[in-house]
Amino acid sequence: MDPDSSNWPSKCESITTTFCRDIEYNITVFPNRLNHSTQKEASHAIGQYISALKAKCSPDIQFFLCSLYFPICTELRDPLPPCKSLCQSVQNGCKDILVAFHLKWPEELDCNKFPETQPCVHKNVSVSGVGDLRPTMGLPDAGTASRDFAFTCPDQFRVPKGYEDSLRVGQVTAKNCGLPCDDMFFSNDERRLSRMWVGTWSIICAISCLFTVLTFMLNTSRFRYPERPIIFLSVCYLVVSIIYAIGFITGDRVACRPPFPSPQKRLQMVSTIVQGTKVAPCTIMFIGLYFFTMASSLWWVILALTWFLAAGLKWSHEAIEANSQYFHLAAWAIPAIKTISILALGKIEGDVLTGVCYIGLWDPDIARSFILAPLLVYLVFGTIFLMLGFVSLFHIRTAMKRDGSKTDKLEKLMLRIGIFSVLYTLPAVTVIVCLIYEQMNFDHWIVSWHRRICHANSADLYLIRCPSDDGLGLNRKPNFYVFMLKYLSSLIVGVTSCVWIASHKTLASWKELFSKILRKHGQTYV
């Protein structure tokens, strides 16, 4: 069941009557089930029960009457009635007072008119009888905390059907509901600073990786296995940095959508974050960014493996290169399969901090399955192969010293491998720690964001049901600098890749190239 967005929550309104201001919800909808079309009519009708309310003949009488006369606004097409059990609880508590005044139980409050097995309202605003429709309608299980049940997607966030957008707050997922681009965790100043930060590092990374790739092209025979995977790793980071640089240039134009047409007059819609595969530039950005990010991690594993094959198993350059097709198959096919899987799921999302599109930014489950878990696996396997290779190199060094052979070149190689490994593993670990930090706190952030909207006196603006104060802090928001550290760590490896090629041979190759250019230019001039 997917309610027509044109029917709700446009009719939702804040409760104004004093009878029902202190109950578990503050948003109602009209007409109610008694055909009252306004709050004024409902207030007049509920006034006949003032004596019963003051007598407090039942602890549930206020909530029962309010849920009937001022029904809670939900994503359901019709107002939710109170449950039969709630009605019976009130009737059992108040029937003695009615008998004393020789009155009958009002016909409009006949408990047989209220459902027990269909969707209805219990105490504490829990809902009964929604079955498998809960996720679609955004309704929680019976007994869920009121802060989870309280969220209803405002009209301003509404996205037309077919865009696959959703917004989850706590345990409630509102379908066809977009994520606002502005004031979603981060301020506009933080977003501008983030764009500058990521844009600057992406340009530095692109220049560094391009230099590494061009150096390889000057003398391809110089870079043989086991060190050739460094070149492919640099190619991956070159593409990643270019995509981040495009995000820096485009700003919000790819990651965010302009406001959709308003379904009501005088309703100011908000710009929403892109979700799904409907926006082609966003999808293309995701494909390049995710594919080459995962491929770079796999080339790191292959680099560590080939070092181990050369040092530990004494494989020659030719023997390793003879199996290079398998390395390429693993490094390119695995990311391709994962990328296609994500496209099939349609879980692409815009990143307001960088202007690019990625996954797992607003869906912790996807981040856990397609980013955090693979990166952990790749880092563990790469580290294992790296350690095994180092152990083998130490054994070779010990044997050479025992034979009286010089070990200068081997020690320099070990030092270069060690420096490059640290410069890769440290940022990789940092990215994983930042992702774990996001995983552990995302649900708290989104609930706190919802509460901040309410406490910022915007509930009337957005017509959302606000939770009662249950002691949760309003300042549970992401640490901006953790995200900046994550982005830096995601790009810094591309910058440090040129460490491996920093040598006299590289300088000689570029000198030779410039000499050829100058000689050719001089000949042409003459």
Side-chain angles (χ1 to χ4, degrees):
M1 177 177 180
D2 193 1
D4 186 356
S5 62
S6 64
N7 292 335
W8 80 277
S10 60
K11 296 179 181 179
C12 294
E13 53 189 88
S14 297
I15 296 175
T16 58
T17 181
T18 55
F19 299 126
C20 302
R21 279 189 176 177
D22 57 347
I23 60 174
E24 288 86 340
Y25 60 92
N26 61 3
I27 298 294
T28 185
V29 62
F30 283 89
N32 60 22
R33 299 178 70 88
L34 301 176
N35 294 322
H36 299 134
S37 58
T38 65
Q39 290 200 51
K40 185 176 181 180
E41 292 181 21
S43 297
H44 179 74
I46 205 174
Q48 61 185 307
Y49 303 109
I50 292 179
S51 298
L53 285 169
K54 290 182 177 179
K56 296 183 179 179
C57 55
S58 169
D60 303 320
I61 186 170
Q62 182 190 21
F63 182 74
F64 168 66
L65 291 173
C66 290
S67 64
L68 178 61
Y69 285 86
F70 295 87
I72 187 171
C73 187
T74 69
E75 298 181 8
L76 293 172
R77 193 178 300 273
D78 298 321
L80 278 176
C83 291
K84 184 177 180 180
S85 58
L86 178 60
C87 176
Q88 291 173 338
S89 173
V90 175
Q91 186 178 25
N92 292 335
C94 298
K95 63 183 179 181
D96 292 339
I97 292 180
L98 293 175
V99 171
F101 287 93
H102 305 285
L103 298 175
K104 294 182 179 180
W105 185 255
E107 184 178 351
E108 63 185 14
L109 303 185
D110 184 1
C111 296
N112 293 323
K113 293 181 178 180
F114 304 125
E116 187 64 63
T117 59
Q118 298 176 4
C120 57
V121 179
H122 280 303
K123 303 174 187 178
N124 300 322
V125 205
S126 62
V127 179
S128 172
V130 293
D132 294 334
L133 298 178
R134 286 183 183 120
T136 304
M137 298 186 298
L139 299 176
D141 295 331
T144 299
S146 61
R147 68 175 183 273
D148 291 338
F149 183 80
F151 181 73
T152 299
C153 183
D155 267 352
Q156 291 90 335
F157 297 177
R158 275 285 157 187
V159 175
K161 293 180 181 179
Y163 278 87
E164 304 171 352
D165 286 37
S166 63
L167 175 53
R168 191 185 79 180
V169 178
Q171 300 300 318
V172 180
T173 299
K175 298 293 184 179
N176 301 319
C177 188
L179 293 150
C181 269
D182 298 320
D183 298 324
M184 190 70 186
F185 294 170
F186 302 104
S187 67
N188 290 333
D189 289 339
E190 288 175 330
R191 289 169 60 190
R192 282 192 291 268
L193 178 59
S194 173
R195 297 281 172 81
M196 292 297 299
W197 175 259
V198 177
T200 301
W201 279 107
S202 65
I203 293 171
I204 295 173
C205 179
I207 293 172
S208 176
C209 292
L210 183 61
F211 177 75
T212 302
V213 174
L214 291 176
T215 302
F216 166 73
M217 295 175 66
L218 288 178
N219 187 3
T220 56
S221 60
R222 173 186 159 194
F223 298 94
R224 305 173 64 186
Y225 283 94
E227 61 187 20
R228 182 165 290 189
I230 295 176
I231 306 301
F232 300 120
L233 188 146
S234 297
V235 170
C236 293
Y237 275 96
L238 175 61
V239 177
V240 168
S241 61
I242 290 174
I243 293 173
Y244 275 119
I246 293 173
F248 167 65
I249 295 170
T250 57
D252 285 335
R253 291 192 293 275
V254 175
C256 294
R257 288 177 300 224
F260 289 100
S262 173
Q264 306 174 47
K265 293 181 179 179
R266 300 180 181 178
L267 181 63
Q268 183 63 47
M269 304 295 286
V270 301
S271 177
T272 53
I273 297 171
V274 172
Q275 297 184 55
T277 58
K278 300 294 183 181
V279 180
C282 183
T283 303
I284 293 171
M285 266 191 174
F286 154 73
I287 292 173
L289 189 57
Y290 182 77
F291 176 83
F292 284 99
T293 297
M294 292 296 111
S296 67
S297 297
L298 279 164
W299 277 116
W300 155 252
V301 177
I302 294 169
L303 175 64
L305 173 62
T306 53
W307 275 339
F308 168 67
L309 292 176
L313 302 183
K314 308 299 187 296
W315 283 34
S316 64
H317 301 298
E318 294 77 13
I320 297 175
E321 190 165 359
N323 292 276
S324 60
Q325 68 271 20
Y326 300 113
F327 303 148
H328 283 277
L329 179 63
W332 305 122
I334 294 175
I337 293 172
K338 291 193 294 182
T339 303
I340 293 171
S341 300
I342 297 169
L343 290 172
L345 294 172
K347 293 296 184 179
I348 302 171
E349 301 161 337
D351 185 356
V352 295
L353 288 178
T354 63
V356 303
C357 292
Y358 204 52
I359 60 167
L361 303 166
W362 308 103
D363 191 333
D365 295 332
I366 291 294
R368 191 161 42 246
S369 302
F370 288 94
I371 302 178
L372 182 57
L375 291 182
L376 275 170
V377 171
Y378 300 153
L379 180 63
V380 168
F381 275 94
T383 303
I384 290 173
F385 288 132
L386 183 67
M387 293 297 100
L388 291 175
F390 263 114
V391 170
S392 300
L393 288 175
F394 275 112
H395 287 165
I396 294 172
R397 176 175 172 271
T398 301
M400 290 177 67
K401 283 191 171 184
R402 189 181 300 114
D403 295 338
S405 303
K406 292 184 178 181
T407 60
D408 295 347
K409 290 185 177 180
L410 179 61
E411 289 174 350
K412 287 182 179 180
L413 175 63
M414 293 172 64
L415 180 61
R416 290 177 66 196
I417 294 175
I419 293 174
F420 186 83
S421 301
V422 171
L423 292 177
Y424 180 90
T425 54
L426 186 59
V429 170
T430 302
V431 170
I432 290 173
V433 171
C434 291
L435 289 171
I436 293 174
Y437 166 75
E438 294 177 33
Q439 289 284 315
M440 294 175 61
N441 294 282
F442 181 83
D443 286 337
H444 297 295
W445 295 338
I446 199 77
V447 172
S448 294
W449 166 78
H450 176 219
R451 292 171 59 81
R452 283 196 299 273
I453 289 180
C454 293
H455 284 259
N457 201 26
S458 60
D460 291 336
L461 172 64
Y462 289 135
L463 293 179
I464 56 177
R465 297 192 303 273
C466 293
S468 58
D469 188 6
D470 52 9
L472 290 179
L474 300 179
N475 297 320
R476 294 287 297 268
K477 59 182 298 186
N479 188 315
F480 174 73
Y481 298 103
V482 172
F483 281 77
M484 295 304 96
L485 180 61
K486 182 184 74 171
Y487 292 125
L488 172 62
S489 301
S490 300
L491 291 167
I492 197 67
V493 174
V495 178
T496 59
S497 63
C498 62
V499 171
W500 186 264
I501 65 169
S503 64
H504 294 293
K505 291 182 180 180
T506 298
L507 183 61
S509 297
W510 283 98
K511 280 185 176 180
E512 183 179 354
L513 173 64
F514 286 121
S515 297
K516 288 181 180 180
I517 293 174
L518 291 174
R519 285 197 301 269
K520 185 176 181 180
H521 179 74
Q523 292 173 359
T524 303
Y525 181 78
V526 174

